[in-house]
Amino acid sequence: MTDTAAAPAATTIVFLLIPGITQLDFTAPAQALCRMPGALLVSAAASRDPIATDSGFSILPTDDFASCPQADILCVPGGHGVAEALGDAATIDFIARQAAGAKWVTSVCTGAFLLGRAGLLTGKRATTHWAYAHLLPLVGAEPVTARIVEDGNLVTSGGVTSGLDFALTLIGRLHGDAVAQAIQLAIEYDPAPPYIGGHPDRTPPAITAGLKARVYDAAAERMERALIGPLGSSRSRSDGR
């Protein structure tokens, strides 16, 4: 007897890549989502040149903005490069065009601000990395302290590692809990961190204060300046500026 079971419908998942991306914002959800039935993973950037990550290596996009297919799921990762990307008209236009036809619009970490610059967070509940959450009202969003926040077809997630939780949550919505749990098992996502913490609510205050002073106070100020600044004209990212 032949197997007449229908193949799962194809789902095109488009990840935006920008210079300075936090690689785990992209690679963690991509690792789970690529195992979803029918998944077709696409990574798009302004050009097909290698994209430098924050980890000292680069990622090669599969497409540029012009060749990228329409996303069923659009995912916008974050990173320290977001502040510059907020002023790039071509990047923001790409997000807006893709979001208009996507079934799901999602972000990881500070990628939420790129969604916001594209006008996609107005009146929406959203989350982002804890160090930047106070800036969400600047893009019209209602900040929510949570690892994953769903508002209609919009799904935002917190910092870096929360992208994996977001991916499994979305897989569960699309294919059911059993499929999501099987993928979680396949990648052995069974976190048992060596320290209690990972969020200011559960981390010793001195550690949080020290990290903010060393990294995130200045980074959040830079993000704020970018958010209140104008959207710049479209230009190539390959010029190094």
Side-chain angles (χ1 to χ4, degrees), residues 128-186:
T128 187
H129 188 287
W130 59 266
Y132 303 87
H134 64 288
L135 300 177
L136 283 170
L138 293 178
V139 290
E142 175 189 343
V144 178
T145 302
R147 197 161 170 83
I148 309 294
V149 174
E150 300 178 59
D151 191 332
N153 75 330
L154 175 74
V155 185
T156 54
S157 56
V160 193
T161 61
S162 63
L164 192 48
D165 293 22
F166 136 70
L168 292 168
T169 297
L170 188 55
I171 293 167
R173 295 283 179 273
L174 294 173
H175 295 280
D177 293 343
V179 171
Q181 286 178 291
I183 291 173
Q184 180 175 343
L185 178 60

Side-chain angles (χ1 to χ4, degrees), residues 40-187:
L40 172 63
L41 212 67
V42 176
S43 56
S47 76
R48 297 196 189 194
D49 295 332
I51 297 294
T53 73
D54 65 353
S55 300
F57 60 83
S58 296
I59 296 172
L60 193 64
T62 63
D63 286 86
D64 58 27
F65 291 163
S67 69
C68 183
Q70 173 58 51
D72 295 306
I73 300 170
L74 173 65
C75 184
V76 179
H80 288 298
V82 165
E84 183 179 357
L86 284 166
D88 187 75
T91 297
I92 303 306
D93 289 347
F94 173 78
I95 293 170
R97 289 197 313 271
Q98 285 285 333
K103 297 175 183 176
W104 294 89
V105 177
T106 72
S107 66
V108 180
C109 197
T110 53
F113 295 109
L114 292 171
L115 295 183
R117 177 52 64 91
L120 301 170
L121 295 190
T122 303
K124 298 289 190 177
R125 300 166 66 253
T127 192
T128 187
H129 188 287
W130 59 266
Y132 303 87
H134 64 288
L135 300 177
L136 283 170
L138 293 178
V139 290
E142 175 189 343
V144 178
T145 302
R147 197 161 170 83
I148 309 294
V149 174
E150 300 178 59
D151 191 332
N153 75 330
L154 175 74
V155 185
T156 54
S157 56
V160 193
T161 61
S162 63
L164 192 48
D165 293 22
F166 136 70
L168 292 168
T169 297
L170 188 55
I171 293 167
R173 295 283 179 273
L174 294 173
H175 295 280
D177 293 343
V179 171
Q181 286 178 291
I183 291 173
Q184 180 175 343
L185 178 60
I187 61 177

